[in-house]
Amino acid sequence: MFIKSSKIIFFNLLFFLILLTIVEIFSGNLNSKNKLDCVYLLCERQFKLETQFHYNLPNYVIDYQRDEFGFRDREGKLSEIDILTIGGSTTDERFITDAETWSKKLESSFSIFLDKKIDVVNAGIDGQSTNGHIWNFNNWFNQLDNFHPKYIIFYIGLNEILYQPPENYKRIYDNHYDFSKLNYLSKFKFILKKNNGILFKSYLIFYRKFILRDKFNTSHLIDRKNSIYIQPNKKLIINEQTRKIFINNLDILYKKSIKINSTPIFITQKTLRGKYEKDKILSIDNHDYFTFEKNISDIVMNFCNQKKIKCLDGNKNFDFNYHDTYDLFHLSPSGSEKLSRFIYDGLKDYIKL
C-alpha cells in the first residue's frame, strides 16, 4: 500500500514538474518573438511607493512605470519619438514620480514652446556608464522596428569610474555577468530570471506585495544633514588607458546615434560631494570629487568641440543646492525641475521639431 501511494505521489509530482516546465518555456522569452532582456530593462514594470526622504515633501508617492519595450514616459509610437534621454540612475530617476522627472518636465517645456505635443522618452537605466549605453544600442534599440529618435540626449559623467583600470571600467554597468562562474543553483536562478516566465513573474508579484516595502531604500543615501565639508587630500587619478576607452565610447555613441538618424547631444554632470567655495576645493571626505568630476566633464566637452556637436556643460553651469538632491547624487523633484529648465534653456534654440 505504501509503495503504491509513493508511486502515485511520484508520478503526480513528475507530471506537475513537466507541465510547469512547459508553461515556463511558453510563458517566457525562450518562446517569445520579443528578444529584449526584459528583466534588465524592466519591461511592463510598475510600482507605487511612498517615501519620506524628499525635502519638504512628506508622504511623497512614487508612481514608476516602464512600457513593454522598457521605456519610461513613452506616449507615442516608437517611430515618432522626438527626444530620447539616456543615462544612469540620474536619468531613470526611480525615486521621482513619472510626472516630475526631468525628462517629463523637458517634454512639457518643449510642447508649450513649440505649441504641439512633443514626446520625450526616458531610456535611463540605473548603474549604466557609457559602456552600458553602448549595450543599449547593441542589444535593445537594434531590436526595435522603426526606431530613430530625432534627438538623443546623453546625460553622463557620474558613472564613468575613470580611476579604475580598463578591465574594471569596462564592466561598469548592471547587465554584465559571467555565467561560467556561477554555481549550479545560481545558474538555475539566472536562467529563470532571464526567461522572465511564469515562475519569475509570480515571484515579482509576491515580492512587490510582501517584501518590497520593507526592503525599500536608495543605493547612495548619504546622511546629507550631517555632511561636513573638508579640504580633500586624495586625488582621484584618471587612468590613461581608461580615459582612452571613455573617449572611444563617446565616439561609438556618436556614430551609433547618427546611424539611426538621430542627432546626439551630450550633457555633463556633477554632484554635491565636492564644491569650490571661497577659493577652496571642499569635499565630504578626503577624496577630491570636485576636480575628478570636472575632469570628466572636460573630456566630454573637448570631444564635443572636436566633433562640432551640441553639448551642455552641466558640471560647470548647472546650479543646484542641498535640498535639490536627496543624497548629494540624485535629484529631488525641485532639482529635477531645475535640471529640465537648464536643459531647455540650452537647447530651445537648437532643437528643431
Side-chain angles (χ1 to χ4, degrees):
M1 185 70 180
F2 175 75
I3 295 176
K4 185 176 180 180
S5 298
S6 299
K7 285 184 177 180
I8 293 174
I9 293 173
F10 172 77
F11 284 110
N12 281 337
L13 182 60
L14 181 62
F15 175 77
F16 172 76
L17 290 175
I18 293 173
L19 181 62
L20 182 61
T21 301
I22 294 172
V23 173
E24 172 67 19
I25 292 173
F26 280 90
S27 65
N29 292 336
L30 292 174
N31 191 56
S32 173
K33 293 181 180 179
N34 182 358
K35 297 305 179 183
L36 296 176
D37 187 346
C38 279
V39 174
Y40 179 54
L41 300 176
L42 303 181
C43 306
E44 299 183 284
R45 196 69 64 86
Q46 177 179 2
F47 63 76
K48 280 193 176 185
L49 290 169
E50 185 177 290
T51 179
Q52 305 294 330
F53 58 68
H54 287 310
Y55 171 73
N56 206 29
L57 292 173
N59 307 315
Y60 182 81
V61 177
I62 300 163
D63 187 358
Y64 181 94
Q65 300 181 62
R66 295 182 84 105
D67 67 16
E68 67 268 32
F69 301 109
F71 294 117
R72 192 175 184 189
D73 300 329
R74 182 177 64 87
E75 297 179 1
K77 298 178 181 178
L78 287 176
S79 59
E80 298 175 352
I81 295 175
D82 295 299
I83 300 173
L84 186 76
T85 60
I86 295 178
S89 56
T90 50
T91 299
D92 179 23
E93 294 195 287
R94 190 166 300 184
F95 301 118
I96 302 290
T97 196
D98 285 346
E100 294 185 311
T101 64
W102 66 260
S103 297
K104 194 66 176 177
K105 292 288 187 180
L106 186 66
E107 175 184 277
S108 177
S109 295
F110 270 109
S111 294
I112 293 172
F113 178 66
L114 298 173
D115 195 25
K116 64 178 181 178
K117 184 69 181 74
I118 301 301
D119 196 13
V120 178
V121 176
N122 189 335
I125 296 181
D126 280 17
Q128 278 198 342
S129 67
T130 48
N131 296 295
H133 305 337
I134 292 171
W135 183 95
N136 293 344
F137 281 89
N138 294 338
N139 301 277
W140 182 9
F141 304 155
N142 64 336
Q143 302 291 324
L144 306 175
D145 294 330
N146 298 316
F147 183 75
H148 42 78
K150 297 178 182 68
Y151 295 89
I152 298 179
I153 293 176
F154 295 95
Y155 188 44
I156 57 175
L158 299 187
N159 290 340
E160 307 303 323
I161 314 299
L162 301 190
Y163 53 80
Q164 292 277 2
E167 59 272 18
N168 290 343
Y169 171 67
K170 288 180 179 179
R171 293 199 292 265
I172 305 295
Y173 65 98
D174 283 348
N175 212 31
H176 174 83
Y177 62 91
D178 189 343
F179 186 77
S180 64
K181 293 184 178 180
L182 301 177
N183 60 40
Y184 288 113
L185 180 59
S186 296
K187 286 181 179 179
F188 178 70
K189 291 179 179 178
F190 182 86
I191 291 170
L192 288 180
K193 183 177 179 180
K194 289 298 180 181
N195 186 49
N196 198 28
I198 190 170
L199 289 174
F200 185 69
K201 289 174 180 174
S202 298
Y203 162 77
L204 284 179
I205 293 173
F206 177 84
Y207 180 81
R208 289 178 201 143
K209 187 171 180 64
F210 298 107
I211 302 176
L212 181 60
R213 293 182 181 180
D214 295 331
K215 297 285 186 180
F216 179 52
N217 55 42
T218 67
S219 58
H220 301 294
L221 195 55
I222 293 172
D223 186 6
R224 60 179 185 170
K225 293 181 181 179
N226 296 318
S227 294
I228 299 174
Y229 286 89
I230 61 174
Q231 286 187 267
N233 55 27
K234 293 182 180 179
K235 295 287 186 181
L236 293 169
I237 306 299
I238 292 178
N239 183 295
E240 182 59 24
Q241 288 180 289
T242 306
R243 183 185 71 84
K244 290 178 180 179
I245 294 172
F246 176 49
I247 295 172
N248 187 58
N249 283 355
L250 296 175
D251 192 51
I252 291 172
L253 292 173
Y254 165 77
K255 290 176 179 177
K256 285 186 176 293
S257 299
I258 299 299
K259 189 174 181 179
I260 61 171
N261 298 319
S262 300
T263 300
I265 300 169
F266 293 90
I267 302 176
T268 64
Q269 299 173 293
K270 67 179 176 183
T271 69
L272 294 180
R273 294 179 297 177
K275 60 183 179 180
Y276 189 76
E277 188 174 272
K278 297 179 180 179
D279 298 324
K280 293 180 180 179
I281 292 175
L282 301 174
S283 177
I284 59 170
D285 59 35
N286 286 324
H287 293 93
D288 183 359
Y289 299 108
F290 178 84
T291 301
F292 177 68
E293 292 171 8
K294 180 181 180 301
N295 288 341
I296 292 177
S297 178
D298 289 344
I299 292 172
V300 176
M301 297 308 296
N302 287 337
F303 172 83
C304 294
N305 290 334
Q306 290 175 8
K307 291 292 184 181
K308 298 181 179 179
I309 58 177
K310 183 68 174 179
C311 295
L312 301 180
D313 192 342
N315 179 271
K316 179 180 179 181
N317 300 318
F318 173 49
D319 292 321
F320 58 103
N321 61 40
Y322 165 84
H323 293 305
D324 292 327
T325 76
Y326 56 83
D327 61 359
L328 305 180
F329 292 78
H330 300 93
L331 298 176
S332 64
S334 64
S336 192
E337 170 69 27
K338 286 183 180 180
L339 177 60
S340 72
R341 289 204 304 267
F342 167 75
I343 296 174
Y344 168 73
D345 289 340
L347 298 180
K348 65 180 180 181
D349 295 325
Y350 172 75
I351 285 181
K352 309 298 180 184
L353 296 169

